[in-house]
Amino acid sequence: MVTKKKKRVVLASGTFDLLHLGHVRFLEEAKKAGGKDAELVVIVARDSTVKARKGKKPVMPEDQRRALVESLKVVDEAILGLDDFSIRKVIERIKPDIIAVGHDQDGIEKEVLKAIEKEKLAVEVVKIGRFGKRELDSSSKIVRKIIESFNK
Amino acid sequence: MVTKKKKRVVLASGTFDLLHLGHVRFLEEAKKAGGKDAELVVIVARDSTVKARKGKKPVMPEDQRRALVESLKVVDEAILGLDDFSIRKVIERIKPDIIAVGHDQDGIEKEVLKAIEKEKLAVEVVKIGRFGKRELDSSSKIVRKIIESFNK
């Protein structure tokens, strides 16, 4: 009997405000971690979650951030985060084989590892490295450049 | 004899600085104008061209703008514009069936129509409408919002 190997589901998350190439490279590496034919599901943080965590809402509203992320080739599905953000609930709903975390997502990585240990979940956590030192690889650098250019 | 219908090539162009949903919707409509199985080629304006036309370079460098546009599902190929921008040369190289122009691309539309008439080219020009009145449907609105938020 031939058993068909199940597609591996990779879960990544982020705010994805002011979409840039660093975001795309992160998502590409995340999907690669799931091997050939992996499915990439991306959770896009809600405005309220970002506001609660960083004290400020993103520039782009959540529905536009979600739609833009889903319009990327590498993304199979992009969904908005839960209102009451909970790693455990997210894992229950998406059932990922792998959770990918970015180089700047130490907080999320910690929460994920804690939830996995507590609930004895069969989820692998993969840390995605940073991509070279590009000039514009973060939303805050983009904002800085815009403000500098405006004040000239 | 069955003749296989050739894929229609749609050409669109733009700066695509600070990529937003309005860009994606424009490209989706442009591709639709070519019917089923159309191929969408996008010309991304060089930094030098933008500087010459608008007096200011884009926030994101040209190679990153190009790569980001090509990472969109709707885009088959994204290429940087020619150094000496010429509609005629672009048409010769890409051989599009359709050229799509955006609601804010009157200058480009004029140049395209002039070149088509002068050279008697078999190219259709399709004007793409604006998509609702979204809050953040233009790069300049995004810049304005960032600066307002910074000055608070």
Side-chain angles (χ1 to χ4, degrees):
Chain A
M1 201 181 88
V2 182
T3 49
K4 205 175 155 198
K5 212 176 157 193
K6 200 183 135 264
K7 257 190 196 177
R8 302 193 85 193
V9 175
V10 180
L11 177 69
S13 64
T15 305
F16 305 99
D17 197 20
L18 305 175
L19 198 75
H20 56 74
L21 212 54
H23 289 135
V24 178
R25 297 295 174 243
F26 162 61
L27 294 173
E28 285 171 351
E29 288 301 310
K31 193 167 189 169
K32 263 188 215 157
K36 217 179 147 253
D37 295 328
E39 197 183 314
L40 178 64
V41 179
V42 181
I43 298 204
V44 176
R46 286 195 179 268
D47 292 343
S48 56
T49 306
V50 178
K51 170 104 179 151
R53 293 193 165 217
K54 301 187 184 174
K56 210 172 192 172
K57 274 208 226 171
V59 176
M60 309 283 271
E62 58 190 25
D63 58 331
Q64 293 186 38
R65 290 185 284 112
R66 191 208 67 78
L68 197 54
V69 167
E70 198 167 78
S71 71
L72 294 170
K73 281 175 184 145
V74 70
V75 176
D76 295 287
E77 196 183 352
I79 50 184
L80 283 174
L82 303 172
D83 254 334
D84 53 333
F85 186 77
S86 142
I87 290 285
R88 193 180 47 78
K89 278 193 206 162
V90 167
I91 292 175
E92 262 172 27
R93 191 174 297 186
I94 315 286
K95 298 184 177 48
D97 300 290
I98 296 173
I99 295 181
V101 292
H103 68 91
D104 55 353
Q105 296 186 319
D106 288 344
I108 291 177
E109 188 184 9
K110 234 169 143 177
E111 284 176 53
V112 168
L113 290 172
K114 213 170 118 184
I116 287 174
E117 203 186 336
K118 199 177 160 195
E119 317 274 334
K120 310 270 178 255
L121 301 166
V123 181
E124 190 185 336
V125 177
V126 174
K127 184 118 181 182
I128 307 296
R130 185 162 205 166
F131 304 94
K133 286 208 173 175
R134 291 186 159 268
E135 199 197 342
L136 291 174
D137 57 355
S138 80
S139 303
S140 52
K141 280 189 198 167
I142 297 170
V143 168
R144 216 176 302 143
K145 186 170 170 191
I146 290 170
I147 289 162
E148 276 169 18
S149 150
F150 182 77
N151 288 337
K152 250 187 215 160
Chain B
M1 201 180 89
V2 181
T3 50
K4 204 176 154 196
K5 212 176 156 193
K6 200 183 134 263
K7 256 189 198 180
R8 303 194 84 192
V9 176
V10 180
L11 178 69
S13 64
T15 305
F16 304 100
D17 197 22
L18 306 176
L19 198 74
H20 55 74
L21 211 54
H23 290 135
V24 177
R25 297 295 175 242
F26 163 60
L27 295 172
E28 284 171 351
E29 287 300 310
K31 192 167 191 172
K32 263 189 215 158
K36 219 182 143 247
D37 294 330
E39 197 183 314
L40 179 64
V41 180
V42 181
I43 299 203
V44 176
R46 284 194 181 270
D47 292 343
S48 56
T49 307
V50 179
K51 168 107 179 147
R53 295 196 162 211
K54 301 188 186 174
K56 210 171 193 173
K57 276 208 226 171
V59 176
M60 307 284 270
E62 58 191 25
D63 60 331
Q64 293 186 38
R65 288 185 287 112
R66 190 208 67 76
L68 197 54
V69 167
E70 199 167 78
S71 71
L72 294 171
K73 282 175 183 144
V74 69
V75 176
D76 294 287
E77 197 184 351
I79 52 182
L80 283 173
L82 302 171
D83 254 334
D84 54 334
F85 185 78
S86 144
I87 290 284
R88 193 180 48 77
K89 278 195 205 160
V90 166
I91 292 175
E92 264 172 26
R93 192 173 296 184
I94 315 285
K95 297 183 180 48
D97 300 289
I98 295 173
I99 295 181
V101 292
H103 67 91
D104 55 351
Q105 296 187 317
D106 288 344
I108 292 176
E109 187 184 10
K110 235 169 143 176
E111 284 176 51
V112 167
L113 290 172
K114 214 171 119 184
I116 288 174
E117 202 186 337
K118 199 176 160 196
E119 317 273 337
K120 311 269 179 255
L121 301 166
V123 181
E124 190 186 337
V125 177
V126 173
K127 186 116 178 183
I128 308 295
R130 186 161 208 170
F131 304 94
K133 287 207 172 174
R134 290 186 158 268
E135 200 198 343
L136 292 174
D137 57 353
S138 83
S139 302
S140 52
K141 280 189 199 166
I142 296 171
V143 167
R144 215 176 304 143
K145 185 167 171 191
I146 290 171
I147 288 162
E148 277 170 16
S149 150
F150 183 78
N151 287 336
K152 251 186 218 163

PDB file of all heavy atoms in Angstrom, chain B residues 13-32:
ATOM      1  N   SER B  13       2.922  49.350 -16.030  1.00  0.00           N
ATOM      2  CA  SER B  13       4.154  49.943 -15.510  1.00  0.00           C
ATOM      3  C   SER B  13       3.853  50.842 -14.327  1.00  0.00           C
ATOM      4  O   SER B  13       2.698  51.217 -14.085  1.00  0.00           O
ATOM      5  CB  SER B  13       4.859  50.738 -16.608  1.00  0.00           C
ATOM      6  OG  SER B  13       4.048  51.821 -16.998  1.00  0.00           O
ATOM      7  N   GLY B  14       4.882  51.154 -13.574  1.00  0.00           N
ATOM      8  CA  GLY B  14       4.697  52.017 -12.422  1.00  0.00           C
ATOM      9  C   GLY B  14       5.952  52.062 -11.573  1.00  0.00           C
ATOM     10  O   GLY B  14       6.942  51.390 -11.880  1.00  0.00           O
ATOM     11  N   THR B  15       5.892  52.851 -10.511  1.00  0.00           N
ATOM     12  CA  THR B  15       7.046  52.953  -9.603  1.00  0.00           C
ATOM     13  C   THR B  15       6.946  51.899  -8.503  1.00  0.00           C
ATOM     14  O   THR B  15       7.935  51.295  -8.112  1.00  0.00           O
ATOM     15  CB  THR B  15       7.099  54.367  -8.972  1.00  0.00           C
ATOM     16  OG1 THR B  15       7.104  55.338 -10.027  1.00  0.00           O
ATOM     17  CG2 THR B  15       8.330  54.536  -8.125  1.00  0.00           C
ATOM     18  N   PHE B  16       5.753  51.686  -8.011  1.00  0.00           N
ATOM     19  CA  PHE B  16       5.492  50.685  -6.965  1.00  0.00           C
ATOM     20  C   PHE B  16       6.367  50.893  -5.731  1.00  0.00           C
ATOM     21  O   PHE B  16       6.929  49.953  -5.184  1.00  0.00           O
ATOM     22  CB  PHE B  16       5.650  49.260  -7.526  1.00  0.00           C
ATOM     23  CG  PHE B  16       4.784  48.997  -8.721  1.00  0.00           C
ATOM     24  CD1 PHE B  16       5.302  49.040 -10.004  1.00  0.00           C
ATOM     25  CD2 PHE B  16       3.427  48.751  -8.562  1.00  0.00           C
ATOM     26  CE1 PHE B  16       4.495  48.835 -11.118  1.00  0.00           C
ATOM     27  CE2 PHE B  16       2.608  48.539  -9.672  1.00  0.00           C
ATOM     28  CZ  PHE B  16       3.154  48.580 -10.952  1.00  0.00           C
ATOM     29  N   ASP B  17       6.464  52.159  -5.325  1.00  0.00           N
ATOM     30  CA  ASP B  17       7.169  52.491  -4.089  1.00  0.00           C
ATOM     31  C   ASP B  17       6.182  52.291  -2.942  1.00  0.00           C
ATOM     32  O   ASP B  17       5.019  52.648  -3.070  1.00  0.00           O
ATOM     33  CB  ASP B  17       7.610  53.961  -4.162  1.00  0.00           C
ATOM     34  CG  ASP B  17       8.684  54.284  -3.143  1.00  0.00           C
ATOM     35  OD1 ASP B  17       9.377  53.352  -2.677  1.00  0.00           O
ATOM     36  OD2 ASP B  17       8.866  55.473  -2.833  1.00  0.00           O
ATOM     37  N   LEU B  18       6.591  51.730  -1.848  1.00  0.00           N
ATOM     38  CA  LEU B  18       5.694  51.431  -0.722  1.00  0.00           C
ATOM     39  C   LEU B  18       4.464  50.672  -1.227  1.00  0.00           C
ATOM     40  O   LEU B  18       3.368  51.226  -1.333  1.00  0.00           O
ATOM     41  CB  LEU B  18       5.265  52.719  -0.010  1.00  0.00           C
ATOM     42  CG  LEU B  18       6.414  53.626   0.462  1.00  0.00           C
ATOM     43  CD1 LEU B  18       5.864  54.910   1.058  1.00  0.00           C
ATOM     44  CD2 LEU B  18       7.304  52.924   1.470  1.00  0.00           C
ATOM     45  N   LEU B  19       4.672  49.443  -1.530  1.00  0.00           N
ATOM     46  CA  LEU B  19       3.626  48.612  -2.143  1.00  0.00           C
ATOM     47  C   LEU B  19       2.351  48.551  -1.294  1.00  0.00           C
ATOM     48  O   LEU B  19       2.417  48.330  -0.090  1.00  0.00           O
ATOM     49  CB  LEU B  19       4.170  47.190  -2.343  1.00  0.00           C
ATOM     50  CG  LEU B  19       3.399  46.342  -3.339  1.00  0.00           C
ATOM     51  CD1 LEU B  19       3.693  46.786  -4.763  1.00  0.00           C
ATOM     52  CD2 LEU B  19       3.729  44.868  -3.181  1.00  0.00           C
ATOM     53  N   HIS B  20       1.214  48.787  -1.935  1.00  0.00           N
ATOM     54  CA  HIS B  20      -0.052  48.745  -1.214  1.00  0.00           C
ATOM     55  C   HIS B  20      -1.104  48.033  -2.059  1.00  0.00           C
ATOM     56  O   HIS B  20      -0.849  47.681  -3.215  1.00  0.00           O
ATOM     57  CB  HIS B  20      -0.505  50.152  -0.822  1.00  0.00           C
ATOM     58  CG  HIS B  20      -0.587  51.095  -1.992  1.00  0.00           C
ATOM     59  ND1 HIS B  20      -1.586  51.026  -2.922  1.00  0.00           N
ATOM     60  CD2 HIS B  20       0.213  52.113  -2.386  1.00  0.00           C
ATOM     61  CE1 HIS B  20      -1.411  51.966  -3.826  1.00  0.00           C
ATOM     62  NE2 HIS B  20      -0.310  52.637  -3.532  1.00  0.00           N
ATOM     63  N   LEU B  21      -2.276  47.844  -1.434  1.00  0.00           N
ATOM     64  CA  LEU B  21      -3.327  47.069  -2.069  1.00  0.00           C
ATOM     65  C   LEU B  21      -3.814  47.693  -3.376  1.00  0.00           C
ATOM     66  O   LEU B  21      -4.220  46.985  -4.299  1.00  0.00           O
ATOM     67  CB  LEU B  21      -4.485  46.912  -1.082  1.00  0.00           C
ATOM     68  CG  LEU B  21      -5.286  45.632  -1.195  1.00  0.00           C
ATOM     69  CD1 LEU B  21      -4.398  44.408  -1.107  1.00  0.00           C
ATOM     70  CD2 LEU B  21      -6.348  45.593  -0.126  1.00  0.00           C
ATOM     71  N   GLY B  22      -3.777  49.018  -3.477  1.00  0.00           N
ATOM     72  CA  GLY B  22      -4.168  49.691  -4.726  1.00  0.00           C
ATOM     73  C   GLY B  22      -3.299  49.224  -5.892  1.00  0.00           C
ATOM     74  O   GLY B  22      -3.788  49.033  -7.007  1.00  0.00           O
ATOM     75  N   HIS B  23      -1.993  49.027  -5.642  1.00  0.00           N
ATOM     76  CA  HIS B  23      -1.099  48.503  -6.688  1.00  0.00           C
ATOM     77  C   HIS B  23      -1.544  47.111  -7.143  1.00  0.00           C
ATOM     78  O   HIS B  23      -1.592  46.811  -8.336  1.00  0.00           O
ATOM     79  CB  HIS B  23       0.336  48.381  -6.147  1.00  0.00           C
ATOM     80  CG  HIS B  23       1.028  49.684  -5.897  1.00  0.00           C
ATOM     81  ND1 HIS B  23       1.748  49.937  -4.752  1.00  0.00           N
ATOM     82  CD2 HIS B  23       1.135  50.803  -6.663  1.00  0.00           C
ATOM     83  CE1 HIS B  23       2.276  51.161  -4.814  1.00  0.00           C
ATOM     84  NE2 HIS B  23       1.905  51.710  -5.951  1.00  0.00           N
ATOM     85  N   VAL B  24      -1.839  46.261  -6.164  1.00  0.00           N
ATOM     86  CA  VAL B  24      -2.209  44.877  -6.489  1.00  0.00           C
ATOM     87  C   VAL B  24      -3.517  44.849  -7.279  1.00  0.00           C
ATOM     88  O   VAL B  24      -3.636  44.143  -8.276  1.00  0.00           O
ATOM     89  CB  VAL B  24      -2.334  44.019  -5.208  1.00  0.00           C
ATOM     90  CG1 VAL B  24      -2.780  42.601  -5.544  1.00  0.00           C
ATOM     91  CG2 VAL B  24      -1.002  43.995  -4.461  1.00  0.00           C
ATOM     92  N   ARG B  25      -4.484  45.645  -6.851  1.00  0.00           N
ATOM     93  CA  ARG B  25      -5.783  45.667  -7.551  1.00  0.00           C
ATOM     94  C   ARG B  25      -5.605  46.185  -8.979  1.00  0.00           C
ATOM     95  O   ARG B  25      -6.234  45.680  -9.913  1.00  0.00           O
ATOM     96  CB  ARG B  25      -6.796  46.541  -6.797  1.00  0.00           C
ATOM     97  CG  ARG B  25      -7.142  46.040  -5.403  1.00  0.00           C
ATOM     98  CD  ARG B  25      -7.853  44.693  -5.416  1.00  0.00           C
ATOM     99  NE  ARG B  25      -8.083  44.172  -4.071  1.00  0.00           N
ATOM    100  CZ  ARG B  25      -7.585  43.038  -3.602  1.00  0.00           C
ATOM    101  NH1 ARG B  25      -6.830  42.264  -4.358  1.00  0.00           N
ATOM    102  NH2 ARG B  25      -7.856  42.627  -2.380  1.00  0.00           N
ATOM    103  N   PHE B  26      -4.752  47.189  -9.160  1.00  0.00           N
ATOM    104  CA  PHE B  26      -4.451  47.715 -10.501  1.00  0.00           C
ATOM    105  C   PHE B  26      -3.864  46.605 -11.374  1.00  0.00           C
ATOM    106  O   PHE B  26      -4.305  46.389 -12.522  1.00  0.00           O
ATOM    107  CB  PHE B  26      -3.473  48.901 -10.389  1.00  0.00           C
ATOM    108  CG  PHE B  26      -2.771  49.261 -11.680  1.00  0.00           C
ATOM    109  CD1 PHE B  26      -3.484  49.643 -12.810  1.00  0.00           C
ATOM    110  CD2 PHE B  26      -1.381  49.204 -11.765  1.00  0.00           C
ATOM    111  CE1 PHE B  26      -2.833  49.971 -14.008  1.00  0.00           C
ATOM    112  CE2 PHE B  26      -0.720  49.533 -12.950  1.00  0.00           C
ATOM    113  CZ  PHE B  26      -1.451  49.917 -14.077  1.00  0.00           C
ATOM    114  N   LEU B  27      -2.915  45.861 -10.847  1.00  0.00           N
ATOM    115  CA  LEU B  27      -2.271  44.798 -11.629  1.00  0.00           C
ATOM    116  C   LEU B  27      -3.251  43.660 -11.930  1.00  0.00           C
ATOM    117  O   LEU B  27      -3.238  43.084 -13.021  1.00  0.00           O
ATOM    118  CB  LEU B  27      -1.030  44.277 -10.894  1.00  0.00           C
ATOM    119  CG  LEU B  27       0.103  45.317 -10.751  1.00  0.00           C
ATOM    120  CD1 LEU B  27       1.210  44.776  -9.849  1.00  0.00           C
ATOM    121  CD2 LEU B  27       0.663  45.704 -12.126  1.00  0.00           C
ATOM    122  N   GLU B  28      -4.123  43.358 -10.992  1.00  0.00           N
ATOM    123  CA  GLU B  28      -5.124  42.302 -11.220  1.00  0.00           C
ATOM    124  C   GLU B  28      -6.086  42.698 -12.341  1.00  0.00           C
ATOM    125  O   GLU B  28      -6.411  41.886 -13.213  1.00  0.00           O
ATOM    126  CB  GLU B  28      -5.899  42.020  -9.919  1.00  0.00           C
ATOM    127  CG  GLU B  28      -5.090  41.212  -8.914  1.00  0.00           C
ATOM    128  CD  GLU B  28      -5.749  41.096  -7.538  1.00  0.00           C
ATOM    129  OE1 GLU B  28      -6.753  41.783  -7.289  1.00  0.00           O
ATOM    130  OE2 GLU B  28      -5.244  40.322  -6.704  1.00  0.00           O
ATOM    131  N   GLU B  29      -6.532  43.948 -12.314  1.00  0.00           N
ATOM    132  CA  GLU B  29      -7.446  44.428 -13.368  1.00  0.00           C
ATOM    133  C   GLU B  29      -6.729  44.455 -14.716  1.00  0.00           C
ATOM    134  O   GLU B  29      -7.316  44.141 -15.749  1.00  0.00           O
ATOM    135  CB  GLU B  29      -7.979  45.818 -13.020  1.00  0.00           C
ATOM    136  CG  GLU B  29      -8.990  45.838 -11.896  1.00  0.00           C
ATOM    137  CD  GLU B  29     -10.222  44.998 -12.198  1.00  0.00           C
ATOM    138  OE1 GLU B  29     -10.812  45.160 -13.274  1.00  0.00           O
ATOM    139  OE2 GLU B  29     -10.581  44.152 -11.343  1.00  0.00           O
ATOM    140  N   ALA B  30      -5.461  44.857 -14.697  1.00  0.00           N
ATOM    141  CA  ALA B  30      -4.672  44.913 -15.932  1.00  0.00           C
ATOM    142  C   ALA B  30      -4.595  43.516 -16.549  1.00  0.00           C
ATOM    143  O   ALA B  30      -4.839  43.323 -17.744  1.00  0.00           O
ATOM    144  CB  ALA B  30      -3.268  45.439 -15.629  1.00  0.00           C
ATOM    145  N   LYS B  31      -4.299  42.522 -15.732  1.00  0.00           N
ATOM    146  CA  LYS B  31      -4.187  41.151 -16.237  1.00  0.00           C
ATOM    147  C   LYS B  31      -5.524  40.653 -16.782  1.00  0.00           C
ATOM    148  O   LYS B  31      -5.573  39.997 -17.814  1.00  0.00           O
ATOM    149  CB  LYS B  31      -3.675  40.231 -15.129  1.00  0.00           C
ATOM    150  CG  LYS B  31      -3.252  38.855 -15.637  1.00  0.00           C
ATOM    151  CD  LYS B  31      -2.470  38.099 -14.587  1.00  0.00           C
ATOM    152  CE  LYS B  31      -1.821  36.853 -15.167  1.00  0.00           C
ATOM    153  NZ  LYS B  31      -0.909  36.228 -14.199  1.00  0.00           N
ATOM    154  N   LYS B  32      -6.594  40.975 -16.078  1.00  0.00           N
ATOM    155  CA  LYS B  32      -7.943  40.573 -16.521  1.00  0.00           C
ATOM    156  C   LYS B  32      -8.251  41.094 -17.921  1.00  0.00           C
ATOM    157  O   LYS B  32      -8.960  40.444 -18.689  1.00  0.00           O
ATOM    158  CB  LYS B  32      -8.990  41.132 -15.551  1.00  0.00           C
ATOM    159  CG  LYS B  32      -9.430  40.150 -14.502  1.00  0.00           C
ATOM    160  CD  LYS B  32     -10.627  40.728 -13.738  1.00  0.00           C
ATOM    161  CE  LYS B  32     -10.577  40.318 -12.273  1.00  0.00           C
ATOM    162  NZ  LYS B  32     -11.355  41.223 -11.421  1.00  0.00           N
TER     163      LYS B  32
END
